[in-house]
Amino acid sequence: MENLGKQLQSVQESKQQLEIDLEGQLKANTKKLQEAKEGQLAKKAGAVSTVSTAKSTTESTLSKLRNLPNKLSRDKGLNNFLSGKNEELKKGFPEFKEKHFCHNVLNETIKSLSNQDDGKFESSKLLELLESNLKQSAREIIEAKVKEVVNEHCNIGKNMGKELRDDTLKAKLSPSVRKCVKKLEFNKQEGVNKIVDSILHSFNSKNNNNNDSVELLKEIVVKELVEARMRFFLDKIQELQLTSSIRDKFLSTDQGMCNQTQGGVNEYQLTEKAKKEYTPNSSMSHTNTVSIHSLNSRKAS
């Protein structure tokens, strides 16, 4: 009986221990299940947050894209357009640095247009004025720079008479002209020897061996270098389509510079905005600009 009692007690203890173990296992499984659910909820929340962030970023990007046309419109404004063209010109012409060349040419062209009796003009007339003012303004700036460079770097000595007799003038002149060409950043297609030959040809045809031979040669050097530089300039504005591009930009309706009249498809009239915003300034006061009347008189002659 005693042994039976001990066995019953042992079974009872085992049952209690099993219940304890099962309860512990149940709690552990419940905790793991809860943690798994919480992890899934966190992932879902993270996914929602990611979607929300992506949506916000997309809306911001779309907003920027919607505003891009306005920004591009501002960037393509007439002033910025002229500045861009000016920068392109400056790459080949150091003498144009610090000068608002394209702006000034347009200012003076508008002055010519606004001085007309009826204030009306055709697009072809605007093109002619721009082209003439571009050439004339460039020539003045280029000539001033060439004179400065020649005075500084062109070594024309006092013994010109002897050099002419010894036929050594070309050998003495060539290095000086080469240095001037380098300082002026000439078009590589302009050969120094060709320029020197042209200088000497003009000099020999005009020189009468008087005391002004040195000054005469300097004048001819300046003239030939200016003409060579102008050839480069004309090639450059043709390459950039500078005249027509300024004309087209100025006439475009989005700039508000002029209105089309009832007189014809290509007839325009300046707006008050153009007269107010684009008036001549002192930076080009030295320039003898081309007017419509002078263009007409040239044609008549």
Side-chain angles (χ1 to χ4, degrees):
M1 289 294 293
E2 185 177 351
N3 289 335
L4 181 61
K6 287 181 179 180
Q7 288 177 355
L8 288 173
Q9 185 178 356
S10 176
V11 169
Q12 185 68 29
E13 289 175 354
S14 297
K15 180 182 177 184
Q16 289 176 352
Q17 185 63 46
L18 181 59
E19 288 176 351
I20 291 171
D21 292 342
L22 288 172
E23 185 178 356
Q25 186 66 38
L26 180 61
K27 287 182 178 179
N29 289 340
T30 303
K31 184 178 180 181
K32 287 182 180 179
L33 183 60
Q34 184 65 30
E35 288 176 350
K37 288 181 178 179
E38 289 176 356
Q40 288 179 348
L41 289 173
K43 286 181 180 180
K44 288 181 179 179
V48 170
S49 176
T50 302
V51 170
S52 177
T53 302
K55 183 180 178 183
S56 175
T57 303
T58 302
E59 289 177 350
S60 175
T61 303
L62 287 173
S63 176
K64 289 178 180 178
L65 288 173
R66 282 193 291 268
N67 291 329
L68 187 59
N70 293 331
K71 183 179 185 300
L72 289 175
S73 178
R74 290 194 297 272
D75 290 345
K76 290 182 179 179
L78 190 56
N79 270 326
N80 289 331
F81 173 82
L82 293 171
S83 295
K85 291 298 181 184
N86 221 43
E87 286 302 316
E88 289 179 311
L89 272 179
K90 287 179 184 180
K91 291 175 183 177
F93 296 87
E95 57 267 49
F96 285 175
K97 290 178 181 176
E98 308 303 326
K99 296 181 185 294
H100 300 291
F101 178 73
C102 293
H103 295 78
N104 292 340
V105 166
L106 182 59
N107 287 344
E108 296 300 324
T109 301
I110 293 173
K111 178 184 176 182
S112 298
L113 294 173
S114 61
N115 285 339
Q116 289 189 94
D117 295 334
D118 58 2
K120 298 176 182 178
F121 61 92
E122 292 184 354
S123 60
S124 58
K125 188 66 66 176
L126 172 60
L127 193 67
E128 288 182 66
L129 279 171
L130 282 170
E131 186 173 350
S132 296
N133 281 327
L134 277 170
K135 291 177 182 178
Q136 184 166 301
S137 303
R139 182 175 288 277
E140 291 184 4
I141 295 170
I142 286 171
E143 186 171 342
K145 183 63 178 179
V146 169
K147 285 180 178 178
E148 176 189 323
V149 170
V150 168
N151 287 334
E152 185 176 353
H153 298 286
C154 195
N155 183 23
I156 300 175
K158 301 284 185 180
N159 299 322
M160 187 176 295
K162 183 177 183 301
E163 290 167 355
L164 283 172
R165 288 192 299 273
D166 297 343
D167 199 23
T168 58
L169 182 57
K170 181 175 182 178
K172 294 284 184 70
L173 188 61
S174 292
S176 295
V177 173
R178 193 178 303 279
K179 188 179 291 186
C180 291
V181 166
K182 184 176 180 180
K183 288 290 180 180
L184 291 166
E185 298 182 18
F186 258 59
N187 185 348
K188 293 180 180 179
Q189 293 179 353
E190 287 287 350
V192 174
N193 290 334
K194 183 179 177 182
I195 295 174
V196 171
D197 287 342
S198 184
I199 290 170
L200 292 176
H201 177 76
S202 296
F203 178 74
N204 290 328
S205 65
K206 295 178 181 179
N207 181 45
N208 55 8
N209 292 321
N210 58 24
N211 295 328
D212 295 327
S213 293
V214 173
E215 288 304 314
L216 175 61
L217 184 56
K218 272 193 175 182
E219 288 176 9
I220 293 173
V221 169
V222 169
K223 180 179 180 298
E224 292 293 334
L225 288 176
V226 168
E227 293 306 317
R229 197 82 175 117
M230 281 301 297
R231 287 194 293 272
F232 182 25
F233 174 77
L234 295 177
D235 288 343
K236 189 68 175 176
I237 64 172
Q238 186 174 3
E239 173 192 329
L240 296 174
Q241 296 183 322
L242 189 62
T243 311
S244 58
S245 64
I246 294 176
R247 187 271 310 267
D248 294 344
K249 190 67 178 177
F250 183 72
L251 293 180
S252 60
T253 54
D254 61 319
Q255 300 305 315
M257 293 290 112
C258 50
N259 296 319
Q260 229 168 341
T261 69
Q262 300 299 320
V265 177
N266 292 319
E267 188 178 75
Y268 298 86
Q269 193 167 20
L270 294 175
T271 62
E272 290 304 316
K273 177 183 178 182
K275 295 176 184 177
K276 181 179 179 181
E277 293 186 11
Y278 288 87
T279 52
N281 53 42
S282 58
S283 63
M284 203 174 174
S285 58
H286 68 282
T287 304
N288 297 317
T289 53
V290 179
S291 67
I292 288 179
H293 299 298
S294 65
L295 278 177
N296 291 336
S297 63
R298 286 181 189 178
K299 287 183 178 180
S301 59

